[in-house]
Amino acid sequence: MVSPILAIDPIIDMPRTMINVTGSLTNALVVDKMMGNLNLDDYNDMSLNTLDSKANKESAEK
């Protein structure tokens, strides 16, 4: 009886993990928006893929 459960559990666990990660990301965005810390220009800027490129962009602007 244990073998079928072990075979099915990873299949069930993947969507559950996806829902948890999506919920955590959504929660972080809502809290940032409510606190006024969300910079929509940076959020929508696809060229800022890493923190390193953001630091380079800020130093170039100075």
Side-chain angles (χ1 to χ4, degrees):
M1 287 303 292
V2 174
S3 294
I5 293 172
L6 290 175
I8 294 173
D9 188 53
I11 297 169
I12 296 170
D13 191 47
M14 285 183 239
R16 184 173 36 214
T17 301
M18 181 186 66
I19 290 170
N20 286 336
V21 170
T22 303
S24 294
L25 289 170
T26 303
N27 185 39
L29 285 172
V30 169
V31 169
D32 273 352
K33 179 74 172 173
M34 289 175 62
M35 294 184 71
N37 294 332
L38 183 63
N39 186 344
L40 289 175
D41 293 331
D42 285 346
Y43 180 77
N44 292 323
D45 189 1
M46 296 303 285
S47 68
L48 297 176
N49 292 329
T50 64
L51 292 175
D52 211 25
S53 65
K54 182 178 180 180
N56 290 338
K57 182 180 175 184
E58 289 175 355
S59 66
E61 290 175 353
K62 291 182 182 178

